[in-house]
Amino acid sequence: VKRKQVGDELEEFGLDTKENNEQAVRFDPPDLLWEELKVINQTSVLRGETTHVRMILANQGGDVATGVEYSVKWYFSQREKRKKRIFWDRIKVIAPGERKVIELPITIPAMEQIGSYIVEVIVDEPNNISESEENNNSKIISKPIIFSDVAQIFPEDSYSFAEDGLFRFE
């Protein structure tokens, strides 16, 4: 630090002192969102059987998120206020730009009502992580899961009755 005499006082100029030079490095906050949620291989499930759900969680923010809680819920499509948590877990760390692929086996209890069910995933439900966007933390499955006592096997989305002929249900 250089000093020069100005009247009766010394004035500092040139290099900054260490106190003025220290600044914390700040990143944009994390932004957790579900990129994908789908049932693997089937949309119709027998009660008492197991199906698998694939979820992809991404951190599209600028900072690391730690202690990330997420849960999976389902509900009968005609009673959306009666959500039932079927799974809860915690991810230790998810870095900026990182994606976590989670495949979860779900066994449908035999006592569940027959019908169409919606699966929903929620990340950071207790709102413990400060994010750049707080309103994108849940996702609902695009096609409902059908719980039944009779196996229903549907043709693929690309199946054409006009080109491929009749399709038999088993």
Side-chain angles (χ1 to χ4, degrees):
V1 175
K2 296 181 181 180
R3 298 178 186 187
K4 70 176 184 176
Q5 187 76 34
V6 178
D8 292 335
E9 297 180 16
L10 287 173
E11 184 178 290
E12 294 182 359
F13 66 97
L15 302 173
D16 288 338
T17 62
K18 188 175 181 181
E19 288 178 26
N20 294 336
N21 212 13
E22 285 183 9
Q23 292 182 1
V25 177
R26 295 194 171 258
F27 299 100
D28 289 337
D31 182 21
L32 303 170
L33 65 96
W34 295 102
E35 288 184 344
E36 182 179 303
L37 168 62
K38 70 178 187 178
V39 176
I40 301 172
N41 298 331
Q42 57 192 19
T43 56
S44 178
V45 181
L46 296 176
R47 295 188 299 173
E49 297 280 321
T50 300
T51 188
H52 290 80
V53 175
R54 177 179 292 138
M55 305 166 285
I56 299 178
L57 178 65
N59 181 354
Q60 294 187 346
D63 203 357
V64 171
T66 58
V68 177
E69 296 179 19
Y70 69 94
S71 63
V72 180
K73 298 178 180 183
W74 74 30
Y75 57 91
F76 189 62
S77 62
Q78 297 171 353
R79 288 189 225 115
E80 72 179 68
K81 295 198 187 276
R82 292 187 182 178
K83 295 180 182 177
K84 181 187 280 187
R85 180 183 289 169
I86 56 172
F87 187 78
W88 175 91
D89 201 4
R90 179 176 296 170
I91 297 171
K92 289 183 182 180
V93 176
I94 183 166
E98 185 177 5
R99 298 169 67 210
K100 298 281 187 183
V101 178
I102 304 159
E103 285 194 15
L104 178 66
I106 297 175
T107 301
I108 312 307
M111 65 188 178
E112 286 293 333
Q113 180 177 352
I114 294 173
S116 174
Y117 282 75
I118 306 296
V119 177
E120 178 180 21
V121 289
I122 303 168
V123 66
D124 191 31
E125 191 171 8
N127 223 6
N128 294 333
I129 300 168
S130 177
E131 298 180 63
S132 60
E133 176 61 51
E134 296 283 352
N135 296 324
N136 61 357
N137 288 354
S138 67
K139 187 168 184 84
I140 294 174
I141 201 160
S142 60
K143 288 184 176 180
I145 299 175
I146 300 168
F147 294 175
S148 67
D149 289 332
V150 177
Q152 300 173 8
I153 301 170
F154 295 99
E156 297 293 322
D157 290 337
S158 61
Y159 189 87
S160 169
F161 289 99
E163 295 173 14
D164 301 327
L166 295 177
F167 183 84
R168 291 189 172 186
F169 292 96
E170 296 177 9

